[in-house]
Structures are given as structure tokens and as C-alpha cells.
Coordinates of all heavy atoms in Angstrom, one line a residue:
M1 N 9.0 -4.7 -18.8 CA 7.6 -5.0 -18.5 C 6.7 -4.0 -19.2 O 7.0 -2.8 -19.3 CB 7.4 -4.8 -17.0 CG 7.6 -6.0 -16.2 SD 6.1 -6.6 -15.3 CE 7.0 -7.2 -13.9
V2 N 5.6 -4.5 -19.7 CA 4.6 -3.7 -20.5 C 3.6 -3.2 -19.5 O 3.0 -4.0 -18.8 CB 4.0 -4.4 -21.7 CG1 3.3 -3.5 -22.6 CG2 5.1 -5.2 -22.4
T3 N 3.4 -1.8 -19.6 CA 2.3 -1.3 -18.7 C 1.1 -0.9 -19.7 O 1.2 -0.3 -20.7 CB 2.7 0.0 -17.9 OG1 4.1 -0.3 -17.5 CG2 1.8 0.1 -16.8
I4 N -0.1 -1.5 -19.3 CA -1.3 -1.1 -20.1 C -2.2 -0.4 -19.3 O -2.1 -0.3 -18.0 CB -1.9 -2.4 -20.8 CG1 -1.4 -3.6 -20.2 CG2 -1.7 -2.5 -22.3 CD1 -1.8 -4.1 -18.9
N5 N -3.2 0.2 -19.9 CA -4.2 1.0 -19.2 C -5.4 0.2 -18.6 O -6.5 0.3 -19.1 CB -4.8 2.0 -20.2 CG -4.7 3.4 -19.6 OD1 -4.1 3.6 -18.6 ND2 -5.4 4.3 -20.3
V6 N -5.0 -0.6 -17.6 CA -6.0 -1.4 -16.9 C -6.2 -0.9 -15.6 O -5.2 -0.7 -14.8 CB -5.7 -2.9 -17.0 CG1 -6.7 -3.7 -16.2 CG2 -5.6 -3.4 -18.4
K7 N -7.4 -0.7 -15.1 CA -7.6 -0.3 -13.7 C -7.6 -1.4 -12.7 O -8.1 -2.5 -12.9 CB -9.0 0.4 -13.6 CG -9.2 1.4 -12.5 CD -10.6 1.8 -12.5 CE -10.8 3.2 -11.9 NZ -12.2 3.5 -12.0
C8 N -6.8 -1.2 -11.6 CA -6.8 -2.2 -10.6 C -8.1 -2.3 -9.9 O -8.6 -1.4 -9.5 CB -5.6 -1.8 -9.6 SG -5.6 -3.0 -8.2
R9 N -8.5 -3.5 -9.8 CA -9.8 -3.9 -9.2 C -9.8 -3.5 -7.7 O -10.9 -3.3 -7.1 CB -9.9 -5.4 -9.3 CG -11.2 -6.0 -9.4 CD -11.0 -7.5 -9.5 NE -11.6 -8.0 -8.4 CZ -11.7 -9.3 -8.1 NH1 -11.1 -10.2 -9.0 NH2 -12.3 -9.8 -7.0
F10 N -8.7 -3.6 -7.0 CA -8.6 -3.3 -5.6 C -8.2 -1.9 -5.1 O -8.9 -1.4 -4.3 CB -7.6 -4.3 -5.0 CG -7.9 -5.7 -5.4 CD1 -7.1 -6.3 -6.4 CD2 -8.9 -6.5 -4.8 CE1 -7.3 -7.6 -6.8 CE2 -9.1 -7.8 -5.2 CZ -8.4 -8.3 -6.2
C11 N -7.3 -1.3 -5.8 CA -6.9 0.1 -5.4 C -7.2 1.1 -6.4 O -6.9 2.3 -6.3 CB -5.5 0.1 -5.0 SG -4.3 -0.2 -6.4
Q12 N -7.9 0.7 -7.6 CA -8.3 1.6 -8.6 C -7.1 2.4 -9.3 O -7.3 3.4 -10.0 CB -9.3 2.7 -8.0 CG -10.4 2.2 -7.2 CD -11.3 1.2 -7.9 OE1 -11.6 1.2 -9.0 NE2 -11.6 0.1 -7.2
Q13 N -6.0 1.8 -9.2 CA -4.7 2.4 -9.7 C -4.7 2.0 -11.2 O -4.9 0.9 -11.5 CB -3.6 1.9 -9.0 CG -2.2 2.5 -9.3 CD -2.0 4.0 -8.9 OE1 -1.9 4.8 -9.7 NE2 -2.1 4.3 -7.6
T14 N -4.2 2.9 -12.1 CA -4.1 2.5 -13.6 C -2.7 2.3 -13.9 O -2.3 1.4 -14.8 CB -4.8 3.4 -14.5 OG1 -4.5 4.7 -14.1 CG2 -6.3 3.2 -14.5
S15 N -1.8 3.1 -13.4 CA -0.4 3.2 -13.8 C 0.4 2.0 -13.4 O 1.4 1.7 -14.0 CB 0.2 4.5 -13.3 OG 0.1 4.6 -11.9
A16 N 0.0 1.4 -12.3 CA 0.9 0.3 -11.7 C 0.5 -1.1 -12.2 O 1.0 -2.0 -11.7 CB 0.8 0.4 -10.2
V17 N -0.4 -1.2 -13.2 CA -0.9 -2.5 -13.6 C -0.1 -3.0 -14.7 O 0.1 -2.3 -15.7 CB -2.4 -2.5 -13.9 CG1 -2.9 -3.8 -14.4 CG2 -3.2 -2.0 -12.7
S18 N 0.3 -4.2 -14.7 CA 1.0 -4.8 -15.8 C 0.5 -6.2 -16.0 O 0.0 -6.8 -15.2 CB 2.6 -4.8 -15.6 OG 2.9 -5.5 -14.4
K19 N 0.9 -6.7 -17.3 CA 0.4 -8.1 -17.6 C 1.1 -9.1 -16.8 O 2.3 -9.0 -16.4 CB 0.7 -8.4 -19.1 CG -0.3 -7.6 -19.9 CD -0.1 -8.1 -21.4 CE -1.2 -7.5 -22.3 NZ -1.2 -8.0 -23.6
Y20 N 0.4 -10.2 -16.4 CA 1.0 -11.2 -15.5 C 0.5 -12.6 -16.0 O -0.1 -13.3 -15.3 CB 0.4 -10.9 -14.1 CG 1.2 -11.5 -13.0 CD1 2.5 -11.2 -12.8 CD2 0.6 -12.5 -12.2 CE1 3.2 -11.7 -11.8 CE2 1.3 -13.1 -11.1 CZ 2.6 -12.8 -11.0 OH 3.3 -13.3 -9.9
G21 N 0.9 -12.9 -17.2 CA 0.6 -14.2 -17.8 C -0.9 -14.4 -18.0 O -1.7 -13.5 -18.2
V22 N -1.3 -15.6 -18.1 CA -2.6 -16.0 -18.5 C -3.3 -16.9 -17.4 O -2.6 -17.8 -16.9 CB -2.7 -16.8 -19.9 CG1 -4.0 -17.2 -20.2 CG2 -2.1 -15.9 -20.9
G23 N -4.6 -16.6 -17.1 CA -5.2 -17.4 -16.0 C -5.7 -18.8 -16.5 O -5.5 -19.1 -17.7
H24 N -6.2 -19.6 -15.6 CA -6.6 -21.0 -16.0 C -7.6 -21.0 -17.1 O -7.6 -22.0 -17.9 CB -7.2 -21.6 -14.7 CG -6.2 -21.9 -13.6 ND1 -5.2 -22.6 -13.8 CD2 -6.1 -21.3 -12.4 CE1 -4.4 -22.7 -12.7 NE2 -4.9 -21.9 -11.9
G25 N -8.4 -20.0 -17.2 CA -9.4 -20.0 -18.3 C -9.0 -19.5 -19.6 O -9.7 -19.4 -20.5
G26 N -7.7 -19.1 -19.6 CA -7.1 -18.6 -20.9 C -7.3 -17.1 -21.0 O -6.9 -16.5 -22.0
H27 N -7.8 -16.4 -20.0 CA -7.9 -15.0 -20.0 C -6.6 -14.3 -19.5 O -5.9 -14.9 -18.7 CB -9.0 -14.5 -19.1 CG -10.4 -15.0 -19.6 ND1 -10.8 -14.6 -20.8 CD2 -11.3 -15.8 -19.1 CE1 -12.1 -15.1 -21.0 NE2 -12.3 -15.9 -19.9
Q28 N -6.4 -13.1 -20.0 CA -5.2 -12.3 -19.5 C -5.3 -12.0 -18.1 O -6.3 -11.7 -17.6 CB -5.2 -11.1 -20.4 CG -3.9 -10.1 -20.1 CD -2.6 -10.8 -20.4 OE1 -2.4 -11.2 -21.5 NE2 -1.8 -10.9 -19.4
R29 N -4.2 -12.2 -17.4 CA -4.1 -11.9 -16.0 C -3.2 -10.6 -15.8 O -2.3 -10.5 -16.5 CB -3.4 -13.2 -15.3 CG -3.6 -13.2 -13.9 CD -3.4 -14.6 -13.4 NE -3.6 -14.5 -12.0 CZ -4.9 -14.5 -11.4 NH1 -5.9 -14.6 -12.1 NH2 -4.9 -14.4 -10.1
Y30 N -3.6 -9.9 -14.8 CA -2.9 -8.7 -14.5 C -2.4 -8.6 -13.1 O -3.0 -9.1 -12.2 CB -3.8 -7.4 -14.8 CG -4.3 -7.4 -16.2 CD1 -5.5 -7.8 -16.6 CD2 -3.5 -6.8 -17.2 CE1 -5.9 -7.8 -18.0 CE2 -3.9 -6.7 -18.6 CZ -5.1 -7.2 -18.9 OH -5.5 -7.1 -20.2
R31 N -1.3 -7.9 -13.0 CA -0.8 -7.7 -11.6 C -0.6 -6.3 -11.3 O -0.2 -5.5 -12.1 CB 0.5 -8.5 -11.4 CG 1.1 -8.4 -10.0 CD 2.3 -9.2 -9.9 NE 2.8 -9.3 -8.6 CZ 3.6 -8.5 -8.0 NH1 4.1 -7.5 -8.6 NH2 4.0 -8.7 -6.7
C32 N -1.1 -5.8 -10.1 CA -0.9 -4.4 -9.7 C 0.3 -4.3 -8.8 O 0.5 -5.0 -7.8 CB -2.2 -4.0 -8.9 SG -2.0 -2.4 -8.2
K33 N 1.2 -3.4 -9.3 CA 2.4 -3.2 -8.4 C 2.2 -2.4 -7.3 O 3.0 -2.4 -6.3 CB 3.5 -2.5 -9.3 CG 4.2 -3.4 -10.3 CD 5.2 -2.8 -11.2 CE 4.8 -2.7 -12.6 NZ 5.5 -1.8 -13.4
Q34 N 1.1 -1.7 -7.2 CA 0.7 -0.9 -6.0 C 0.4 -1.7 -4.8 O 0.8 -1.6 -3.7 CB -0.4 0.1 -6.5 CG -0.8 1.2 -5.5 CD 0.3 2.3 -5.5 OE1 0.9 2.5 -6.6 NE2 0.6 2.9 -4.4
C35 N -0.6 -2.7 -5.1 CA -1.0 -3.5 -3.9 C -0.6 -4.9 -4.1 O -1.1 -5.8 -3.3 CB -2.6 -3.3 -3.8 SG -3.5 -3.9 -5.3
C36 N 0.1 -5.2 -5.1 CA 0.7 -6.6 -5.3 C -0.4 -7.7 -5.5 O -0.1 -8.8 -4.9 CB 1.7 -6.9 -4.3 SG 3.1 -5.9 -4.4
R37 N -1.6 -7.3 -6.0 CA -2.5 -8.4 -6.2 C -2.8 -8.6 -7.6 O -2.5 -7.8 -8.5 CB -3.9 -7.9 -5.5 CG -3.7 -7.7 -4.0 CD -4.9 -7.1 -3.5 NE -5.9 -8.1 -3.1 CZ -6.9 -7.8 -2.3 NH1 -7.1 -6.5 -1.9 NH2 -7.8 -8.7 -2.0
T38 N -3.2 -9.8 -7.9 CA -3.4 -10.2 -9.3 C -4.9 -10.3 -9.6 O -5.7 -10.6 -8.7 CB -2.7 -11.5 -9.7 OG1 -3.3 -12.6 -8.9 CG2 -1.2 -11.4 -9.6
F39 N -5.4 -10.0 -10.7 CA -6.7 -10.1 -11.0 C -6.9 -10.3 -12.6 O -5.9 -10.2 -13.4 CB -7.5 -8.9 -10.6 CG -7.0 -7.6 -11.3 CD1 -7.6 -7.0 -12.3 CD2 -5.8 -7.0 -10.8 CE1 -7.2 -5.9 -12.9 CE2 -5.4 -5.8 -11.3 CZ -6.0 -5.3 -12.4
Q40 N -8.1 -10.6 -13.1 CA -8.4 -10.7 -14.4 C -9.6 -9.8 -14.8 O -10.4 -9.5 -14.0 CB -8.8 -12.1 -14.8 CG -7.6 -13.1 -14.7 CD -8.0 -14.5 -14.8 OE1 -7.4 -15.3 -14.0 NE2 -9.0 -14.9 -15.5
L41 N -9.7 -9.4 -16.0 CA -10.8 -8.6 -16.4 C -12.0 -9.4 -16.7 O -13.1 -9.0 -16.5 CB -10.4 -7.8 -17.6 CG -9.4 -6.7 -17.4 CD1 -9.1 -6.0 -18.7 CD2 -9.7 -5.7 -16.3
E42 N -11.7 -10.6 -17.2 CA -12.8 -11.6 -17.5 C -12.5 -12.9 -16.8 O -11.5 -13.3 -16.7 CB -12.8 -11.9 -19.0 CG -13.4 -10.8 -19.8 CD -13.2 -11.2 -21.3 OE1 -12.1 -11.0 -21.9 OE2 -14.3 -11.7 -21.8
Y43 N -13.5 -13.5 -16.2 CA -13.4 -14.7 -15.5 C -14.3 -15.8 -16.2 O -15.3 -15.6 -16.6 CB -13.8 -14.6 -14.0 CG -12.8 -13.8 -13.2 CD1 -12.9 -12.4 -13.1 CD2 -11.7 -14.4 -12.6 CE1 -12.0 -11.7 -12.3 CE2 -10.8 -13.7 -11.9 CZ -11.0 -12.4 -11.7 OH -10.1 -11.7 -11.0
T44 N -13.7 -16.9 -16.3 CA -14.5 -18.1 -16.7 C -15.5 -18.6 -15.7 O -16.6 -18.9 -15.9 CB -13.6 -19.3 -17.1 OG1 -12.5 -18.8 -17.9 CG2 -14.3 -20.3 -17.9
Y45 N -15.0 -18.5 -14.4 CA -15.7 -19.0 -13.3 C -16.4 -17.8 -12.6 O -15.8 -16.9 -12.2 CB -14.8 -19.6 -12.4 CG -15.3 -20.3 -11.1 CD1 -16.5 -20.9 -11.3 CD2 -14.7 -20.1 -9.9 CE1 -17.1 -21.6 -10.1 CE2 -15.2 -20.7 -8.8 CZ -16.4 -21.3 -8.9 OH -17.0 -22.0 -7.7
I46 N -17.7 -17.8 -12.8 CA -18.5 -16.6 -12.4 C -18.4 -16.2 -11.0 O -18.3 -15.0 -10.6 CB -20.0 -16.8 -12.7 CG1 -20.3 -17.2 -14.1 CG2 -20.8 -15.6 -12.3 CD1 -21.7 -17.8 -14.4
A47 N -18.2 -17.2 -10.0 CA -18.1 -16.9 -8.6 C -16.8 -16.0 -8.3 O -16.8 -15.5 -7.2 CB -18.0 -18.2 -7.8
C48 N -15.9 -15.9 -9.2 CA -14.7 -15.1 -9.0 C -14.9 -13.6 -9.3 O -14.0 -12.8 -9.1 CB -13.5 -15.7 -9.8 SG -13.0 -17.3 -9.1
K49 N -15.9 -13.4 -10.1 CA -16.1 -12.0 -10.6 C -16.3 -11.0 -9.5 O -16.9 -11.3 -8.5 CB -17.3 -11.9 -11.6 CG -17.0 -12.4 -12.9 CD -18.3 -12.3 -13.8 CE -18.0 -12.8 -15.2 NZ -19.2 -12.8 -16.0
P50 N -15.8 -9.8 -9.7 CA -16.0 -8.8 -8.7 C -17.5 -8.5 -8.5 O -18.2 -8.5 -9.5 CB -15.4 -7.5 -9.3 CG -14.6 -7.9 -10.5 CD -15.0 -9.3 -10.9
G51 N -18.0 -8.4 -7.3 CA -19.3 -8.0 -7.0 C -20.2 -9.2 -6.7 O -21.2 -9.1 -6.0
I52 N -19.7 -10.4 -7.0 CA -20.5 -11.6 -6.7 C -20.5 -11.9 -5.2 O -21.6 -12.2 -4.6 CB -19.9 -12.8 -7.4 CG1 -20.2 -12.7 -9.0 CG2 -20.4 -14.1 -6.9 CD1 -21.6 -12.9 -9.3
K53 N -19.4 -11.6 -4.5 CA -19.4 -11.9 -3.1 C -20.4 -11.0 -2.4 O -21.1 -11.4 -1.5 CB -18.0 -11.6 -2.5 CG -17.0 -12.8 -2.7 CD -15.7 -12.4 -2.1 CE -14.7 -13.6 -2.4 NZ -13.4 -13.3 -2.1
E54 N -20.4 -9.7 -2.8 CA -21.3 -8.8 -2.1 C -22.8 -9.2 -2.4 O -23.6 -9.1 -1.6 CB -21.1 -7.4 -2.8 CG -19.8 -6.7 -2.3 CD -18.5 -7.2 -3.0 OE1 -18.7 -8.1 -3.9 OE2 -17.4 -6.8 -2.7
H55 N -23.0 -9.8 -3.6 CA -24.3 -10.2 -4.0 C -24.8 -11.4 -3.1 O -25.9 -11.4 -2.6 CB -24.2 -10.7 -5.4 CG -25.4 -10.2 -6.2 ND1 -25.3 -9.5 -7.4 CD2 -26.7 -10.4 -6.0 CE1 -26.5 -9.2 -7.8 NE2 -27.4 -9.9 -7.0
I56 N -23.8 -12.3 -2.9 CA -24.1 -13.5 -2.0 C -24.5 -13.0 -0.7 O -25.4 -13.5 -0.1 CB -22.9 -14.4 -2.0 CG1 -22.6 -15.0 -3.3 CG2 -23.1 -15.5 -0.9 CD1 -21.3 -15.7 -3.4
I57 N -23.7 -12.1 -0.1 CA -24.0 -11.6 1.2 C -25.3 -10.9 1.4 O -26.1 -11.1 2.3 CB -22.8 -10.7 1.7 CG1 -21.6 -11.5 1.8 CG2 -23.1 -10.0 3.0 CD1 -20.3 -10.7 1.8
E58 N -25.6 -10.1 0.3 CA -26.8 -9.4 0.2 C -28.0 -10.4 0.3 O -29.1 -10.2 1.0 CB -26.9 -8.5 -1.0 CG -27.8 -7.4 -1.0 CD -27.8 -6.7 -2.3 OE1 -26.8 -6.1 -2.7 OE2 -28.9 -6.6 -3.0
L59 N -27.9 -11.4 -0.5 CA -28.9 -12.4 -0.6 C -29.1 -13.1 0.7 O -30.2 -13.4 1.2 CB -28.7 -13.4 -1.7 CG -28.8 -12.9 -3.2 CD1 -28.2 -13.9 -4.1 CD2 -30.3 -12.7 -3.5
A60 N -28.0 -13.4 1.4 CA -28.1 -14.1 2.7 C -28.7 -13.2 3.8 O -29.5 -13.7 4.6 CB -26.6 -14.4 3.2
M61 N -28.5 -11.9 3.7 CA -29.1 -11.0 4.6 C -30.6 -10.9 4.4 O -31.3 -10.7 5.3 CB -28.6 -9.5 4.3 CG -27.1 -9.4 4.6 SD -26.7 -9.5 6.4 CE -25.0 -9.2 6.3
N62 N -31.0 -11.1 3.1 CA -32.5 -11.1 2.8 C -33.1 -12.5 2.9 O -34.2 -12.8 2.4 CB -32.7 -10.6 1.4 CG -32.4 -9.1 1.4 OD1 -32.8 -8.4 2.2 ND2 -31.6 -8.8 0.4
N63 N -32.4 -13.4 3.7 CA -32.9 -14.7 3.9 C -33.1 -15.6 2.8 O -34.0 -16.5 2.8 CB -34.2 -14.7 4.8 CG -34.0 -14.4 6.2 OD1 -32.9 -14.7 6.7 ND2 -34.9 -13.6 6.8
A64 N -32.4 -15.3 1.7 CA -32.5 -16.2 0.6 C -31.7 -17.5 0.9 O -30.6 -17.4 1.5 CB -31.8 -15.6 -0.7
G65 N -32.1 -18.7 0.6 CA -31.5 -19.9 1.0 C -30.1 -20.0 0.2 O -30.0 -19.4 -0.9
I66 N -29.2 -20.9 0.6 CA -28.0 -21.0 0.0 C -28.2 -21.5 -1.5 O -27.7 -21.1 -2.4 CB -27.1 -22.0 0.8 CG1 -26.6 -21.2 2.0 CG2 -25.9 -22.5 -0.1 CD1 -25.9 -22.1 3.0
R67 N -29.2 -22.6 -1.6 CA -29.5 -23.1 -2.9 C -30.0 -22.1 -3.8 O -29.8 -22.1 -5.0 CB -30.4 -24.3 -2.7 CG -29.7 -25.6 -2.4 CD -30.5 -26.7 -2.1 NE -29.8 -27.7 -1.4 CZ -29.1 -28.6 -2.0 NH1 -28.9 -28.5 -3.3 NH2 -28.3 -29.5 -1.4
N68 N -31.0 -21.2 -3.2 CA -31.6 -20.2 -4.1 C -30.6 -19.2 -4.6 O -30.5 -18.9 -5.7 CB -32.6 -19.4 -3.2 CG -34.0 -19.9 -3.4 OD1 -34.3 -20.3 -4.5 ND2 -34.9 -19.8 -2.4
S69 N -29.6 -18.8 -3.7 CA -28.6 -17.8 -4.1 C -27.8 -18.4 -5.2 O -27.4 -17.7 -6.1 CB -27.7 -17.5 -2.9 OG -28.5 -17.1 -1.7
A70 N -27.4 -19.7 -5.0 CA -26.6 -20.3 -6.0 C -27.2 -20.3 -7.4 O -26.6 -20.0 -8.4 CB -26.2 -21.7 -5.5
R71 N -28.5 -20.6 -7.3 CA -29.2 -20.7 -8.5 C -29.4 -19.3 -9.2 O -29.2 -19.1 -10.4 CB -30.6 -21.3 -8.4 CG -31.3 -21.9 -9.7 CD -32.5 -22.7 -9.4 NE -33.4 -22.0 -8.5 CZ -33.9 -22.5 -7.4 NH1 -33.6 -23.7 -7.1 NH2 -34.7 -21.9 -6.6
M72 N -29.7 -18.3 -8.4 CA -29.8 -17.0 -8.8 C -28.6 -16.4 -9.5 O -28.6 -15.7 -10.5 CB -30.3 -16.1 -7.8 CG -31.9 -16.2 -7.5 SD -32.3 -15.4 -6.0 CE -32.2 -13.7 -6.4
L73 N -27.5 -16.8 -8.9 CA -26.2 -16.2 -9.4 C -25.5 -17.1 -10.4 O -24.5 -16.8 -10.9 CB -25.2 -15.9 -8.2 CG -25.8 -14.8 -7.2 CD1 -25.0 -14.8 -5.9 CD2 -25.8 -13.5 -7.9
H74 N -26.1 -18.2 -10.7 CA -25.5 -19.3 -11.6 C -24.1 -19.7 -11.1 O -23.2 -19.8 -11.9 CB -25.4 -18.7 -13.0 CG -26.8 -18.2 -13.5 ND1 -27.7 -19.1 -13.9 CD2 -27.3 -17.0 -13.7 CE1 -28.8 -18.4 -14.3 NE2 -28.5 -17.1 -14.2
I75 N -24.0 -19.9 -9.8 CA -22.8 -20.4 -9.3 C -23.1 -21.6 -8.4 O -24.2 -21.9 -8.2 CB -22.0 -19.4 -8.4 CG1 -22.8 -18.9 -7.3 CG2 -21.5 -18.2 -9.3 CD1 -22.2 -17.9 -6.3
S76 N -22.1 -22.3 -8.0 CA -22.3 -23.6 -7.3 C -22.7 -23.3 -5.8 O -22.3 -22.2 -5.2 CB -21.1 -24.5 -7.4 OG -20.0 -24.0 -6.6
V77 N -23.3 -24.2 -5.2 CA -23.7 -24.2 -3.8 C -22.4 -24.0 -3.0 O -22.4 -23.2 -2.0 CB -24.5 -25.4 -3.4 CG1 -24.8 -25.4 -1.9 CG2 -25.9 -25.4 -4.0
N78 N -21.4 -24.8 -3.3 CA -20.2 -24.8 -2.6 C -19.6 -23.3 -2.6 O -18.9 -22.9 -1.6 CB -19.1 -25.7 -3.2 CG -19.5 -27.1 -2.8 OD1 -20.1 -27.3 -1.7 ND2 -19.1 -28.1 -3.6
A79 N -19.6 -22.6 -3.7 CA -19.1 -21.3 -3.8 C -19.8 -20.4 -2.9 O -19.2 -19.5 -2.2 CB -19.2 -20.7 -5.2
V80 N -21.1 -20.5 -2.7 CA -21.9 -19.7 -1.8 C -21.5 -20.0 -0.4 O -21.2 -19.0 0.4 CB -23.4 -19.9 -2.0 CG1 -24.3 -19.2 -1.0 CG2 -23.8 -19.6 -3.4
V81 N -21.4 -21.2 -0.1 CA -21.1 -21.7 1.3 C -19.7 -21.1 1.7 O -19.5 -20.5 2.8 CB -21.1 -23.2 1.4 CG1 -20.6 -23.6 2.8 CG2 -22.5 -23.7 1.3
R82 N -18.8 -21.3 0.8 CA -17.4 -20.8 1.0 C -17.3 -19.3 1.2 O -16.6 -18.9 2.2 CB -16.5 -21.2 -0.2 CG -15.0 -21.1 0.1 CD -14.3 -21.7 -1.1 NE -14.6 -21.1 -2.4 CZ -15.0 -22.0 -3.4 NH1 -15.0 -23.2 -3.3 NH2 -15.4 -21.3 -4.5
T83 N -18.1 -18.6 0.4 CA -18.0 -17.1 0.5 C -18.6 -16.7 1.9 O -18.1 -15.8 2.6 CB -18.8 -16.5 -0.6 OG1 -18.3 -16.9 -1.8 CG2 -18.7 -14.9 -0.5
L84 N -19.8 -17.4 2.3 CA -20.4 -17.0 3.5 C -19.5 -17.3 4.8 O -19.5 -16.6 5.7 CB -21.8 -17.7 3.6 CG -22.8 -17.2 2.7 CD1 -24.1 -17.9 2.8 CD2 -23.1 -15.7 2.9
K85 N -18.8 -18.4 4.6 CA -17.9 -18.8 5.7 C -16.8 -17.9 5.9 O -16.4 -17.5 7.1 CB -17.3 -20.2 5.4 CG -18.2 -21.3 5.9 CD -17.5 -22.7 5.7 CE -18.3 -23.8 6.1 NZ -17.8 -25.1 5.6
T86 N -16.2 -17.3 4.8 CA -15.2 -16.4 5.0 C -15.6 -15.0 5.5 O -14.8 -14.2 5.9 CB -14.4 -16.2 3.7 OG1 -15.3 -15.8 2.6 CG2 -13.6 -17.4 3.3
Y87 N -16.9 -14.7 5.4 CA -17.4 -13.4 5.8 C -18.2 -13.4 7.2 O -18.7 -12.4 7.6 CB -18.3 -12.8 4.7 CG -17.5 -12.2 3.6 CD1 -17.0 -12.9 2.6 CD2 -17.2 -10.8 3.7 CE1 -16.3 -12.3 1.6 CE2 -16.4 -10.2 2.7 CZ -15.9 -11.0 1.7 OH -15.3 -10.3 0.7
T88 N -18.4 -14.6 7.7 CA -19.0 -14.6 9.0 C -18.2 -15.1 10.1 O -17.2 -15.7 9.9 CB -20.3 -15.5 8.9 OG1 -20.0 -16.7 8.2 CG2 -21.4 -14.8 8.1
Ligands
ZN1 ZN1 -3.9 -2.4 -6.9

């Protein structure tokens, strides 16, 4: 197994991250041995990017409509609805 210098998105660990094949969009996928989660550095699908979920929630708190939020973040209405459902 090759270990590269990639920081884990979830536990901020650098030493435990190794390559884990390629994601659907053709980007390199990584797996953290520390927390056993997989992630990518680049995503084809914007709604999967780190920080987007927080953004959706923030917009919802500020009374931005679902359609508005989706348009502002360039993601689908379904992605917004799904995210809000898992957090409420
Ligand atoms: Zn981790």
C-alpha cells in the first residue's frame, strides 16, 4: 500500500491515508485507516464537496428557500432537500 501526503477530511490525519481506487467522476479516491472513511480531494458533483452541507444549513437558517439555496450553490433542489432532511 502506498501512503501519500493527503490530509483526511474527517480526522485531519495525514499518515493514515492511502489511495483507494478511483471515484465515479474519475478522480482519485482516498481511504483513511484511522477513521476508515473514504473521500476525494476533488469532486465532480458539487453537493459532495466538504463545506456544502454547512452552507445549505446556514442558508436554511437565514430563511433562504430551497430553490434559492440550490441555485446559489449550483446544486440540485434534491440535494438541498436531502441534506436538510438528514440534519433535521
Ligand atoms: Zn480519517
Side-chain angles (χ1 to χ4, degrees):
M1 271 243 216
V2 192
T3 319
I4 11 77
N5 230 10
V6 177
K7 200 186 205 176
C8 173
R9 214 180 114 175
F10 307 102
C11 65
Q12 315 302 319
Q13 186 69 243
T14 45
S15 54
V17 179
S18 58
K19 286 192 176 184
Y20 198 65
V22 177
H24 292 296
H27 294 297
Q28 180 64 54
R29 194 158 181 79
Y30 298 96
R31 183 176 190 267
C32 172
K33 280 178 246 168
Q34 191 76 29
C35 59
C36 294
R37 294 171 92 167
T38 61
F39 61 96
Q40 288 165 220
L41 295 180
E42 286 176 276
Y43 286 92
T44 312
Y45 185 40
I46 305 169
C48 292
K49 279 185 182 173
I52 289 290
K53 276 181 185 172
E54 288 77 2
H55 222 121
I56 293 170
I57 294 158
E58 203 185 297
L59 286 169
M61 297 291 183
N62 290 313
N63 283 329
I66 287 169
R67 274 169 199 284
N68 261 332
S69 307
R71 198 170 52 232
M72 281 168 75
L73 298 168
H74 304 285
I75 58 177
S76 73
V77 172
N78 282 334
V80 175
V81 172
R82 193 169 54 231
T83 306
L84 291 175
K85 269 183 184 166
T86 52
Y87 278 85
T88 45

